[in-house]
Amino acid sequence: MAPVEPARSGLPKPLRTLLDTSGLIAVFVLLFAGLAIFVPDFLTGRNIVGLLLSVTLIGSIATTMMMVLALGEVDLSVASIVALAGVVAAVVTSASGSVTIGVMGGIAAGAAVGAFNGFVVARFGINSLIATLAAMEFVRGLAYITSGGDAVMITVPEFFDLGSAAFLGLTLPVWTMIACFIVFGVILNMTSFGRNTLATGGNAEAASLAGVNVRKLKITVFALQGLIAGIAGVLLTSRMGLGDPNTSQGLELAVISACVLGGVSLSGGVASITGVLVGVLIMGCVQNAMGLLNVPTFYQYLVRGAILLLAVMFDRWKQTRRAGG
Amino acid sequence: MAPVEPARSGLPKPLRTLLDTSGLIAVFVLLFAGLAIFVPDFLTGRNIVGLLLSVTLIGSIATTMMMVLALGEVDLSVASIVALAGVVAAVVTSASGSVTIGVMGGIAAGAAVGAFNGFVVARFGINSLIATLAAMEFVRGLAYITSGGDAVMITVPEFFDLGSAAFLGLTLPVWTMIACFIVFGVILNMTSFGRNTLATGGNAEAASLAGVNVRKLKITVFALQGLIAGIAGVLLTSRMGLGDPNTSQGLELAVISACVLGGVSLSGGVASITGVLVGVLIMGCVQNAMGLLNVPTFYQYLVRGAILLLAVMFDRWKQTRRAGG
Amino acid sequence: MTDAYLRVENVTVEFPGVKALDGVSFSAHEGQVHALMGENGAGKSTLLKVLSGVNRLSEGCLYIGGESYAFSNAREALKSGIAIIYQELTLAPNLSVAENLLMGQLPAHHGFVDRRRLRDKALAILEELGEGKLHPSTRVRELSVGQQQMIEIGRALLRNARIIAFDEPTSSLSVQETRHLKRIVARLRDEGKVVLYVTHRMEEVFEMCDAVTVFRDGRHIRTHDTLEGLDHDALVSEMVGRDINDVYGYRPREQGDVLLRLDGIKGRGVTAPASLDIRRGEVLGLFGLVGAGRSELMRLVCGAEHASEGAVVFKGAACRFESAQAAIRAGIAMCPEDRKTQGIFPVASVSDNLNISCRRFFKRLGLFRHPRRETENTLKYIQELSIKTPGPRTPIANLSGGNQQKVILARWLSEDIDLFVMDEPTRGIDVGARRDIYSLLYDLAEQGKSVLVISSDLAEVSSICDRIGVMRGGELLEIIPREQATPERLLGLALPA
Amino acid sequence: QDDVKIGFIVKKPEQAWFINEQKAASQLGEEKGFSVVRLAGEDGQQVLSAIDNLHSQGAQGFVICPPDVRLGPAIVNRAERYGMKVVTVDDRFVGSDGEPIASVPHLGMSGYKIGQQVGEAIAAEMKARGWDPETVAALRISNYELPTAKERTDGATQALLASGFVEGNIYDAPQQNTDTSSAFAAASPIFSKHGDFDHWVIYALNEESVLGGVRASEQYGLSPDQVIGVGINGSGAAFAEFSRQKPTGFYGTMAVSSTMHGRQTADNLYTWIKEGEKPRDNTETTGTLMTRDNWEQVRADLGL
Ligand SMILES: Nc1ncnc2c1ncn2[C@@H]1O[C@H](COP(=O)(O)OP(=O)(O)OP(=O)(O)O)[C@@H](O)[C@H]1O
Ligand SMILES: Nc1ncnc2c1ncn2[C@@H]1O[C@H](COP(=O)(O)OP(=O)(O)OP(=O)(O)O)[C@@H](O)[C@H]1O
Ligand SMILES: O[C@@H]1[C@@H](O)[C@@H](O)CO[C@H]1O
Ligand SMILES: [Mg+2]
Ligand SMILES: [Mg+2]
């Protein structure tokens, strides 16, 4: 059972949240400081920009995955949605000649898959792991079929501007990620939709008896997940200049582990946007630093595994210590 | 809340279990009959032997995954364990010249990883998904390092006999799978170890309050999972003639979905060996038939996804219908 | 008197922010049924969890049969001959009755479960529990809450412990089950066991117990080694620190027009068409034994389940709620009976648990919630219902059982509701708080709202309600006005013919 | 029995390359009147299942691109047990002695050699642009878990060094996958670390990966004339890049005719089964440099 934190009750909300997730934040701060000191070129403007860009995909999708996990569900189909949305955007743009239509098409495809997932889970009560595993296969198949298996070329040059349009030195994908963190942070904490999501994840039956429309809620959350994965897929396609049906395999596990690293409970009912942000950044920094340090790939596996385990163990240790003291 | 089944309470246990999982068995029987009739060459002795052989890896590991899931945990590291055990067996056999030592080495490596997973989960209370995700990366890294990245060829010819030794027309891997089903079926249903596993998965707090040594139990179950994955890895290596550090990527999801398809609950406390067997066979038959029918790869994704979803939905539908009637 | 077999000396248990027990000492003897009493959150359950190794001591010592112990897990306590029936159910829902009864000590031979002995042992203990009709291989999740509670009791009995402790065992038991329990307790006393018995029901203390210890705010207040000469009111005031003469404090009031009418409705669990009226300003009781179908009837009203027949007329219009949400919006709220599975969001804070429904009234810009007003609302009820919690942000799972119940009540009290359906609203709630809750119900009725109380507590229904409906076996038998509702008559109707 | 049925097993059935190969083989089958069963063999286990499956259908032989060349002995063994003929395409079996298994006919490009072609193309373009080797850095997007990938990048490295490239200027970017975004992620830190170079060359095991590197170079403000990226294959990814309005750092790719590979191997196997005429031990194909200027022509020539 989790501890009471009486002394903290008086503190303002943001600070308290910070302290609640502080185990992990401490890990991150230490890690970041360590990397800044010991890894040459780590703390340079362009490396940080590159680091941010490299986590946009995981980061954007992690915000909605957080909602899905808070609901006590999981979504394994995100990587396939990214691929499908990208391919659809590329095909539609080329066919219609209109970037707007193409982009809309890609995003709509993502949202539709998400809504379908939500429908299957909420209406038929199918376990979301298995439902989205099925979707993961099915949607990847659709992506291959749409593209004919090959990367799809995009003939409309404006399409590429999407991924590279910059503002204050940051490109659209980075801004999108930032927007996702703000929007879903606000949704989770400041709206009844967000609180109902947590409540449903904590005890679905009780939530339904307390007047939450659980079915609608689930469909909405999954649809949002599809929507964001769709947007991420379209942006990826525009950044890479091609709609690749093969892209992002294994992304779902990376996203889920960023969330769990950030303290989101897999059994539902517990989530924090700060935690997810830190989880995403830890994973991104480690990966980036390994690149800078030229760590051989084989050892990269070891490092990634070890960091993941150590971070969770440290967090755990802080929690029990707090509970004990 | 689930329904009362008064009429059934009087039936003998095995029959009741059969009825409980009957939704899925019905799916399987229908599917099998359909395939036998409509797919040429499906119901031939050699195809069935091939089919059995093709599911040995998933099948063997699914039996222990069932135990892990029954415990309310999950193990994502199985594919990496298969790879590591295979590589270790190959390296040790080549180095020592002794097949026995090599085989033992591979299996021991698997069991050790499993025990370590169990230790981390049980001792530190780390969520098993994240703990084994870390192990999945780490152990894959170890496999690459052990092998130097390349597949390791085996120089001792006796090693190959392991994988191809046949008895009654079935090879050792098939017999191993059959043994796993029997052994873990018995363990789950007939031993206090198995019942305690289900009790712990159903309500860990209750089990621990009732004096079950939950920690020891978890470590043992994970170690068994590692052991079986290790054996499967060694047999795979012997069949392939090489220890490949890249092998079996994505196996964990296939195994878990076979289990879930077989009615094993991801939230713990519910498992049936018949269900898992049927789950494994459904997946194997579908894959096999698609090969015989020459279904283009892209459509195979659609079919796999659709079958998975339909099977679970059908099962679900039977359950609610039973509850309603 | 012999030396005390169980001695607790100067025991302190701290949780962050709370001293659940503060230097408590007391002792209990063999052959004694020792009642532990106190308000919600007084530390009774914590004390039992110290005995069972779940909670660790920060100070103090346990002596059992003269030897000192400090348990670090449940297994050690079980080995030392202590068995506890916890306040909350601890069962594995998908395992059989027999396996739950013998959880942790399955009869086995070389690791293989001896099915025959398992069944025999289960059958024997079920007989003893008065649940002889239960089949040992039935899954526990199919049982009623009362039957599940009996399984818990059976499990503890099967431990053959010297010290056996019950934490509010009767709160979910039916009349017959309670009778059985009393017999079992008496037998344990005769066998010379140490029985600790936590309850909020005064009559049980006077009927069954030999000694009583009162706690308040984690401190030991007083131990009465005998109940002779002990006065009911004196005991109550020791517990709550003030005098309460009449817990029920019934207040008569004016009634308005009919708010809800049930017209021959039938559905799952309600086998015969049920009809009733409830007026504004009325407190209507539904009495019956566990399993009589009262909750089911109310689930039909509240949209949690659909009626197969009949009509629900609310505020003059026939309605059929598709969901609990629709019912709430229309003005009907249900406070469910099973707190753990239907009521609380365990990991969420007290404030989130309380404001889940009513926060729609505190919205800003029609979109964002209003944390300050939510907190104010929470603080208001913490005060009004004297909810014992370190603060509004504490996870509700950290509260004592009774205090969790109060939070759920507050959830509905802060709603804009015309009809309150309260299923066992005072289950597990201490005398002082009960009085507060009753008075709140009267307040609601005086404001022209209606309250429907489902209760298995005979004294409660007959004392606080204006009319009482009695159910038996899925049938609503009769609705009796307060004046005629003697306990004998109610019970006579409710018991199987 | 007159009906000839052959299998075509590939290691990555979703890749355009292999789709083309399998399609070409099927087409030839239709022309010549034999049937082709297309199967996936993404790891050893799947390959053996695929062979079992072919055996159940009564196929007489199969063409295979194995997921690992060292699976050779196990595959040959299985095929012999069933009396099936085997031909390899793209990747050649290796025996336990580490040498190619000569008894299995092979057709394909040598990874090392095609890599060399890449290196040579880069070197030629560097010279054409008049770059001083001292000022040029190489981004080598590597994937040492994949033996073929290693061969290719090794070949390119060797050719570059032979042309006078400075060894110390070659930087490794290990990718986790073989797609664009993983190459992008791997390349980014290299550019941020070595911002002092004005000229970059990029190579990798395939086009997608080189493209990822090129995208990363753009991210770091390098212009197309500062970058020479050369890929391998000649697939949609390259066509997409060449059809963009303005040139990019993706200079060219070594196009190989997957269509020809598919047709030729299927034909060889068919003749072997039908007429008992065993194909040549080893047929090596080479790549054609495809650039922005000639890509449509080369594409048509190779039948891609
Ligand atoms: N795990 C825990 N973490 C933090 N606080 C706790 C925990 N368990 C109990 N408490 C606190 O300790 C105090 C005593 O709780 P306890 O459950 O012993 O009360 P109780 O006397 O059994 O009350 P009730 O009659 O309501 O069951 C309460 O204030 C409760 O909030
Ligand atoms: N999920 C269920 N499926 C089938 N029957 C059920 C289910 N839940 C309850 N029942 C049956 O419905 C009837 C009424 O149940 P319930 O225990 O809720 O009555 P009650 O009068 O509300 O009792 P109480 O509120 O005191 O627990 C019982 O016969 C019970 O066995
Ligand atoms: O994997 C490569 C493929 O991309 C193509 O280049 C042909 O050869 C294979 O080895
Ligand atoms: Mg209590
Ligand atoms: Mg009830």
Side-chain angles (χ1 to χ4, degrees), chain D residues 11 15 17-18 65 90-91 109 148 152 206 232-233:
Chain D
K11 65 178 181 186
Q15 253 183 33
W17 172 273
F18 294 110
C65 173
D90 297 334
D91 297 344
M109 50 177 167
T148 329
R152 292 182 185 181
N206 62 15
I232 297 176
N233 272 358

Side-chain angles (χ1 to χ4, degrees), chain A residues 119-213:
Chain A
F119 181 74
V120 170
V121 170
R123 174 70 188 72
F124 299 106
I126 307 282
N127 181 299
S128 58
L129 190 119
I130 202 93
T132 57
L133 193 69
M136 163 175 157
E137 292 267 349
F138 199 90
V139 173
R140 182 69 71 176
L142 287 182
Y144 285 130
I145 292 171
T146 312
S147 66
D150 207 352
V152 180
M153 45 178 151
I154 300 160
T155 43
V156 186
E158 291 79 41
F159 194 89
F160 306 113
D161 301 343
L162 265 184
S164 50
F167 176 67
L168 295 181
L170 299 178
T171 54
L172 188 57
V174 177
W175 284 114
T176 308
M177 174 175 75
I178 295 175
C180 283
F181 272 101
I182 294 172
V183 169
F184 288 100
V186 168
I187 288 186
L188 182 72
N189 294 306
M190 307 286 289
T191 67
S192 11
F193 178 76
R195 303 321 277 181
N196 287 348
T197 302
L198 285 170
T200 305
N203 185 346
E205 194 185 345
S208 154
L209 287 175
V212 174
N213 190 337

Side-chain angles (χ1 to χ4, degrees), chain A residues 2 4 16 189-190 195 203, chain C residues 344 352 359 369 390 393 398:
Chain A
V4 206
R16 232 172 327 119
N189 294 306
M190 307 286 289
R195 303 321 277 181
N203 185 346
Chain C
I344 64 167
D352 270 336
R359 64 161 55 102
R369 66 197 191 91
R393 308 214 50 86
N398 289 0

Side-chain angles (χ1 to χ4, degrees), chain D residues 35-68:
Chain D
S35 56
V36 178
V37 182
R38 302 183 232 170
L39 290 166
E42 298 183 61
D43 59 25
Q45 157 80 34
Q46 256 193 39
V47 169
L48 296 192
S49 295
I51 299 172
D52 292 343
N53 204 310
L54 286 172
H55 172 58
S56 307
Q57 303 185 50
Q60 295 98 332
F62 56 90
V63 181
I64 183 169
C65 173
D68 192 306

Side-chain angles (χ1 to χ4, degrees), chain A residues 43-113:
Chain A
L43 203 62
T44 59
R46 57 199 226 160
N47 187 52
I48 296 300
V49 170
L51 194 162
L52 279 181
L53 197 57
S54 74
V55 296
T56 51
L57 195 62
I58 293 188
S60 311
I61 298 176
T63 58
T64 36
M65 186 64 88
M66 171 190 77
M67 299 291 290
V68 173
L69 295 175
L71 197 58
E73 307 287 347
V74 69
D75 189 348
L76 295 181
S77 66
V78 286
S80 300
I81 296 181
V82 165
L84 178 68
V87 169
V88 168
V91 169
V92 174
T93 303
S94 299
S96 70
S98 153
V99 174
T100 321
I101 298 182
V103 168
M104 288 297 146
I107 296 179
V113 173

